[in-house]
Amino acid sequence: MPDLLLELRSEEIPARMQRKAAGDLRKMLTDGLVEAGLTYEAAREYWTPRRLTLDIRGLTARSKDIHEEIKGPSTTAPEQAVQGFLRKAGLASIAEAHVHSDPKKGDFYVAHISKPGRAAEEIIAELVPGIIRGFPWPKSMRWGPASAKPGSLRWVRPLQSILCTFGPETEEPVVVDFEIDGIRSGNVTYGHRFLAPREITVRRFDDYVSKLEAAKVVLDADRRKEIILADARNLAFANGLDLVEDEGLLEEVSGLVEWPVVLMGEFEEAFLAIPAEVIRLTIRANQKCFVTRPQGVGDALSNRFILTANIEATDGGKEIAYGNGKVVRARLSDALYFWRTDQGDLPDLGVLDASAKKFDLDLKKPLDQRMARLDHLGVTFHAKLGTQGERVERIKRLAEELAPIMAKSISPLEGEMAGRPEGVASREAPASSVRDKALRPVGPTPSVAFGDISPSRGEITALAGRAAVLAKADLTTEVVGEFPELQGAMGRKYALLQGEQPSVAAAIEEHYKPQGPADYVPSDPVSVAVALADKLDTLVGFWAIDEKPTGSKDPYALRRAALGVVRILVENRIQLRLASLFASAGARYPGSGAEQIRDLLAFFHDRLKVYLRDQGARHDLIDAVISPQSDDLLQIVRRVEALGSFLDTEDGKNLLAGTKRAANILAAEEKKKTVIAETVEPALFREEAEKSLFAAVNQAEKQAGEAIQNEDFSAAMLALSALREPVDSFFEHVLVNDEDNAVRANRLALLARIRKATGQVADFSKIAG
C-alpha cells in the first residue's frame, strides 16, 4: 500500500499555534481523502517551528468505481417532476435515463450512474491546495508581490516550500504535482536555518526523518520536549541544583527550537530577595527560561536558570548564556523595583483619608494604602455593577454574614500546622460517607492554623471582614500590574509583611480558589467565607443585570465561579441555603428579584450535575433528587449517595420496579382523567394485600419523613425498603382497575400514597431501570 508524505515549510510558526495546526492539517486531509473514496491505515502529524508534516500510511492507490441507480418519477409524471429528476441525477435529457417497469406502479425512470475511480495522486493534488487556502489559522498574513492581488494566498507566516511524495515502499515514490501561488510541490526540503541550510532531496517518511536529523532538525515535538527536559535536569544536577519543572513552558520552548541545546545562565544573588514567584514569572515570561533551586532546600530558588538555544555555538554557548543573563538581570531589576515600591508609602496618601475611614484602614500599612487608593480612584469593576470599592463593600458584608456559618460548619485545624511557612499545610477534605459513591476533592487542600486555641465565631467574622477588605488591594500594586497572574499571591505576601493574622493573609490568596476542576479548595473558615462571598456577589450581580453565559460564551467566567461555589460547599461538607443567600446578596442590586433567584438556582443545579457526573454519579439519580426548589447542594449530594447505595440492594431494585409501575398506572389514569380519591378509605379495602400496603405506607412515610428532618437519608431509604414486599404483594393479588368506581378510585389513591412516600427522597419515575 502506498504512503503519503506532506510537508508545508514556512517562516517560524508561533509556538502556541503549532500543535493545533498540525492536528487540523491531519483532520482536513484525511477527511478529504475518505470523502473522495480513499482509505488509509494510519496517519500521524508532526511539527517544528518551521514546518507542518503529515505521514499517512497504507493509503489506497485509487478510489473505487461507483455504480448506482437513482430512481425517478413515473413516465407519466408532469414535466416539473421530470426536470427535478434530471437535475438530481445529473442527466442532460430524459433520453439518457432508463425505463423500468413495476407490476403495481407501472413504468418509471431510472438513472444508471457510473463514476470511474480516480488515482490517489489526482485526488491529493486537488485537495491540498484547497486545504492550504482555507486553513483555519487564528491569524494569517499575505506577503511578497502577489499580496497585492485579490485572493492571494494567506498563511500564518510566509509559506516557502511544499514537499509531497506518494508511493509504496518497494517502488520509487512520485511527486504529487500541484502549484499554489507560484509555489510548486516537490521532493525537496531544507534543514536547520543556520546549522544545515542546504536543500535535502526526500523519497519517503523514513529517510525524510533521518535526513532532517542529520541536518540538525528533530521533527518529533514530544522528542524535543524529552531532550530539553532530560538535558535540563542533568545540567541542573551537575551544578548541585534541581530543575523547577514547568510543563507549559516546556511545551512552548519545544516549539521555539528545531535543534534544542540546553545551557545555563546566572544572575546576581541579590535578586533572590524578590519572591520566588516573581523571579520565576519574570524569567519565564521574558526569556522563556526555567529556574532552579538548591537541592534539598525546599522552595528557595538559586541564581541560576536554564535556557534552550536553537544552535550549537562554537564557544559552547557562553555568549548565548551571557546575553540571556544580561536581559534577565534587567528584567529582575525592574521586578526588584516593583517589589520594593509596593512596600513603601504611596505619594498620594493625603487624598486617601475618606476611603481609609470608609473601610477602617490603617494608612501606615502598605496594603491598606493600596486598598484606599483602589477605592479613591473609583476603578470600575463593571459599568452596570459599580466600582471595585463598592464591590469590596458588598463582599465584606456577605463574608461577615457567612463567617459564623463557616465557623460552625468547619473546624479549624489546630497544632498540626504550627510552624509551617506562612501557615500553609495540606489536608485531605472529608470523604463521602458512602465509600463507593465518594465525592473526593482533587489534590491536597491548603489551610491555615489558628494555633492551639480555636477562635470564636465573632473573631472569625472579624477576620473574614478584614480579609474581604484587603482581598482586592494588591490589584493596584506594581508587581500585580506587571504580572496579573500573581493577584492574590502577592496580596498574601504583602499582608504577612505588614503583620496580618495568617488566616487573613491566606484568605486574600485563597478567595480566588478554586479556579478550575483540578485546583485545590480552601478549607479554612475565613478563606471559605471570603471565597464564597466573592463568587456569590459576582454571580448575583451579573444575573441582576442579565449578563448570563450563553452557549459557549462566558466572558466573566460565571460557570467557573458557580462550580467553585459547588466544590467549596460539597468538599467541605457545608450546608447552606442558597436561595436565602441569593436574596441577601441581591438586596444590594435593584434588578435582582425572585425570578433571577430561581434562574440562578437552576444554573447552580446544572453546575452541580456536571460536577457529580465528573465524580461518577449517575445522571438519572441526580435528576431524580433535584427539584426546582432544592437549594442545599450538600443535601442533594447526600440524597444521591443514599439513593445510589439503596438501589444497589435487592430491596432497592424491587421497590424501584414497583414504584415505577405504580407511577405509570397513575400517569395513564391521570391522562384519561380517571377519578382518583383524595384520601385512602380503609373501609373500601377488599383484599388483605391492600390493608398491608396501607399500613406499610403509613409507617414508611412517617419514618422516612422523620429521617429526612434529621437529614439521615440512609435511614429514610431503610424506612422505604419496608415497602418492597407489600408493594409486590399488592400488584400480585390486587386488580387496580376494579369494576366498582369507588374501589378503583381508592386503590389509585393508595398508589398515589406510594408515590408521595417515595417522593420525599426522590422522583423514582426519573430513575432508569
Side-chain angles (χ1 to χ4, degrees):
M1 297 284 280
D3 300 330
L4 172 66
L5 170 62
L6 174 67
E7 179 202 72
L8 306 177
R9 188 179 64 89
S10 68
E11 295 291 338
E12 275 73 6
I13 305 167
R16 67 182 184 280
M17 299 182 187
Q18 293 167 18
R19 184 180 290 272
K20 183 180 184 301
D24 288 342
L25 178 62
R26 175 182 55 79
K27 186 177 189 308
M28 293 172 76
L29 185 52
T30 54
D31 285 355
L33 294 172
V34 170
E35 189 175 341
L38 300 176
T39 61
Y40 64 94
E41 293 176 357
R44 184 176 174 186
E45 69 273 25
Y46 299 87
W47 62 92
T48 79
R50 300 180 63 215
R51 64 200 83 219
L52 301 178
T53 300
L54 198 55
D55 173 29
I56 300 180
R57 302 292 176 97
L59 185 64
T60 46
R62 187 178 183 83
S63 62
K64 293 181 179 179
D65 297 339
I66 297 175
H67 301 285
E68 62 176 332
E69 293 184 356
I70 300 177
K71 186 178 179 180
S74 167
T75 54
T76 60
E79 182 63 21
Q80 186 177 0
V82 172
Q83 291 301 318
F85 164 66
L86 294 178
R87 287 193 297 272
K88 178 181 178 182
L91 302 181
S93 71
I94 199 64
E96 297 180 5
H98 296 258
V99 177
H100 289 200
S101 296
D102 184 278
K104 295 182 179 179
K105 298 181 179 179
D107 294 343
F108 58 92
Y109 293 114
V110 175
H112 292 183
I113 307 297
S114 295
K115 293 181 181 179
R118 300 167 64 200
E121 298 99 306
E122 179 185 344
I123 295 171
I124 295 164
E126 182 181 285
L127 277 174
V128 176
I131 290 171
I132 292 174
R133 285 194 178 279
F135 203 80
W137 290 110
K139 292 183 179 181
S140 56
M141 60 181 289
R142 297 188 181 96
W143 63 92
S147 63
K149 301 176 183 177
S152 61
L153 177 64
R154 299 180 67 94
W155 198 245
V156 62
R157 295 291 185 270
L159 189 62
Q160 295 177 327
S161 68
I162 301 172
L163 182 152
C164 192
T165 65
F166 179 72
E169 290 186 12
T170 55
E171 300 176 13
E172 188 68 20
V174 300
V175 171
V176 180
D177 185 47
F178 56 89
E179 182 264 341
I180 178 168
D181 268 32
I183 304 172
R184 183 162 293 279
S185 59
N187 61 350
V188 172
T189 187
Y190 296 82
H192 191 282
R193 181 189 294 276
F194 304 112
L195 300 176
R198 299 172 299 280
E199 74 174 37
I200 303 167
T201 302
V202 174
R203 297 175 65 247
R204 54 177 53 85
F205 183 76
D206 292 339
D207 74 305
Y208 167 76
V209 173
S210 60
K211 287 180 178 178
L212 278 182
E213 189 95 15
K216 306 297 185 182
V217 175
V218 178
L219 181 66
D220 188 340
D222 289 331
R223 184 162 163 256
R224 292 198 302 276
K225 286 173 68 173
E226 291 170 4
I227 292 170
I228 294 168
L229 184 57
D231 288 355
R233 285 172 175 168
N234 292 336
L235 183 56
F237 183 78
N239 286 272
L241 304 169
D242 286 329
L243 177 72
V244 177
E245 297 184 17
D246 185 330
E247 177 61 30
L249 180 59
L250 182 62
E251 173 79 12
E252 184 176 9
V253 169
S254 71
L256 297 175
V257 296
E258 290 194 318
W259 189 253
V261 178
V262 174
L263 303 169
M264 179 173 282
E266 63 180 318
F267 55 86
E268 286 77 6
E269 290 188 357
F271 290 121
L272 295 177
I274 307 170
E277 298 95 329
V278 179
I279 294 175
R280 184 174 179 177
L281 272 175
T282 300
I283 294 176
R284 185 191 200 278
N286 292 292
Q287 289 304 104
K288 313 301 180 190
C289 296
F290 299 87
V291 294
T292 63
R293 61 168 61 100
Q295 292 177 356
V297 176
D299 293 333
L301 298 184
S302 80
N303 66 325
R304 305 264 184 107
F305 61 91
I306 302 288
L307 63 111
T308 308
N310 190 35
I311 191 170
E312 290 178 343
T314 55
D315 64 352
K318 291 181 180 178
E319 280 299 315
I320 296 174
Y322 176 74
N324 275 266
K326 285 178 65 177
V327 178
V328 164
R329 282 190 287 276
R331 297 298 185 186
L332 289 177
S333 293
D334 292 340
L336 183 60
Y337 170 78
F338 296 150
W339 168 244
R340 288 173 174 168
T341 300
D342 286 341
Q343 295 173 61
D345 288 338
L346 291 173
D348 54 351
L349 280 179
V351 299
L352 304 180
D353 289 337
S355 293
K357 185 176 181 181
K358 182 196 301 184
F359 290 101
D360 193 23
L361 297 169
D362 181 355
L363 291 183
K364 295 177 183 178
K365 297 181 177 181
L367 201 57
D368 290 55
Q369 294 177 21
R370 268 67 187 173
M371 179 57 223
R373 171 184 270 187
L374 183 68
D375 179 65
H376 173 74
L377 293 176
V379 177
T380 300
F381 168 60
H382 185 280
K384 296 180 180 179
L385 296 176
T387 66
Q388 286 283 9
E390 292 168 338
R391 183 174 180 231
V392 168
E393 284 188 275
R394 296 193 299 267
I395 294 172
K396 177 179 182 291
R397 285 196 292 266
L398 196 53
E400 289 173 339
E401 183 179 333
L402 285 164
I405 304 172
M406 300 306 107
K408 180 180 178 182
S409 302
I410 305 173
S411 298
L413 297 180
E414 300 178 41
E416 174 191 342
M417 291 167 292
R420 294 192 184 259
E422 298 186 9
V424 179
S426 296
R427 176 176 75 173
E428 293 292 339
S432 165
S433 58
V434 183
R435 296 182 187 277
D436 58 337
K437 304 288 183 188
L439 303 170
R440 295 181 174 86
V442 180
T445 305
S447 189
V448 175
F450 286 95
D452 295 328
I453 300 174
S454 296
S456 67
R457 294 184 193 179
E459 289 172 324
I460 289 180
T461 300
L463 293 173
R466 175 67 174 166
V469 166
L470 296 179
K472 308 297 180 183
D474 66 353
L475 295 178
T476 59
T477 62
E478 299 289 337
V479 170
V480 172
E482 181 73 9
F483 301 112
E485 56 268 57
L486 286 180
Q487 59 186 282
M490 295 311 300
R492 178 180 195 156
K493 288 188 178 296
Y494 292 138
L496 290 170
L497 283 172
Q498 69 177 35
E500 298 296 330
Q501 212 273 357
S503 63
V504 171
I508 293 171
E509 179 177 14
E510 293 183 345
H511 86 280
Y512 290 108
K513 304 292 184 180
Q515 292 191 323
D519 198 8
Y520 75 82
V521 172
S523 62
D524 174 73
V526 178
S527 294
V528 171
V530 181
L532 287 174
D534 178 58
K535 293 168 177 59
L536 290 171
D537 174 77
T538 299
L539 287 159
V540 171
F542 279 102
W543 249 253
I545 63 173
D546 199 25
E547 291 273 359
K548 297 174 285 190
T550 56
S552 61
K553 295 182 179 179
D554 187 10
Y556 304 109
L558 301 180
R559 291 190 181 96
R560 185 175 71 188
L563 182 58
V565 173
V566 168
R567 289 190 60 202
I568 289 171
L569 296 178
V570 173
E571 294 177 19
N572 282 303
R573 316 301 280 181
I574 298 170
Q575 288 194 272
L576 198 65
R577 292 290 181 187
L578 286 179
S580 59
L581 204 59
F582 293 162
S584 177
R588 288 123 190 170
Y589 295 102
S592 183
E595 184 179 346
Q596 284 72 27
I597 290 173
R598 284 193 298 271
D599 191 57
L600 183 54
L601 193 56
F603 180 72
F604 267 90
H605 289 166
D606 290 339
R607 293 301 93 201
L608 179 63
K609 289 177 182 179
V610 171
Y611 171 76
L612 290 178
R613 287 168 189 165
D614 288 344
Q615 301 296 318
R618 284 169 47 180
H619 68 88
D620 57 332
L621 302 191
I622 304 168
D623 290 337
V625 163
I626 291 181
S627 70
Q629 295 77 35
S630 302
D631 69 342
D632 185 334
L633 303 186
L634 181 61
Q635 189 179 94
I636 294 171
V637 171
R638 287 173 172 166
R639 285 176 182 259
V640 171
E641 293 172 351
L643 183 60
S645 296
F646 177 57
L647 294 178
D648 284 343
T649 67
E650 198 63 30
D651 281 347
K653 293 172 185 175
N654 290 336
L655 180 60
L656 173 63
T659 303
K660 287 176 75 70
R661 184 176 177 183
N664 291 337
I665 293 172
L666 276 170
E669 296 305 319
E670 286 168 344
K671 190 174 182 180
K672 293 188 291 186
K673 300 189 182 305
T674 303
V675 174
I676 302 173
E678 292 185 8
T679 59
V680 178
E681 180 53 60
L684 293 173
F685 291 156
R686 293 179 177 176
E687 304 288 344
E688 193 62 35
E690 291 177 275
K691 299 175 184 177
S692 299
L693 178 58
F694 182 61
V697 167
N698 284 336
Q699 184 174 4
E701 192 173 50
K702 179 176 180 294
Q703 291 177 347
E706 291 173 351
I708 289 170
Q709 285 292 324
N710 296 325
E711 299 194 356
D712 188 345
F713 301 108
S714 296
M717 293 296 174
L718 183 63
L720 292 179
S721 68
L723 291 175
R724 177 243 173 125
E725 290 186 7
V727 168
D728 289 348
S729 178
F730 177 85
F731 283 118
E732 184 178 348
H733 298 103
V734 177
L735 177 64
V736 175
N737 286 320
D738 193 88
E739 292 180 359
D740 188 317
N741 290 339
V743 171
R744 180 174 64 244
N746 197 56
R747 289 173 177 172
L748 289 171
L750 186 54
L751 297 187
R753 285 288 304 279
I754 297 172
R755 183 171 64 182
K756 180 182 176 184
T758 56
Q760 294 178 98
V761 175
D763 184 348
F764 277 53
S765 66
K766 294 181 178 179
I767 302 173

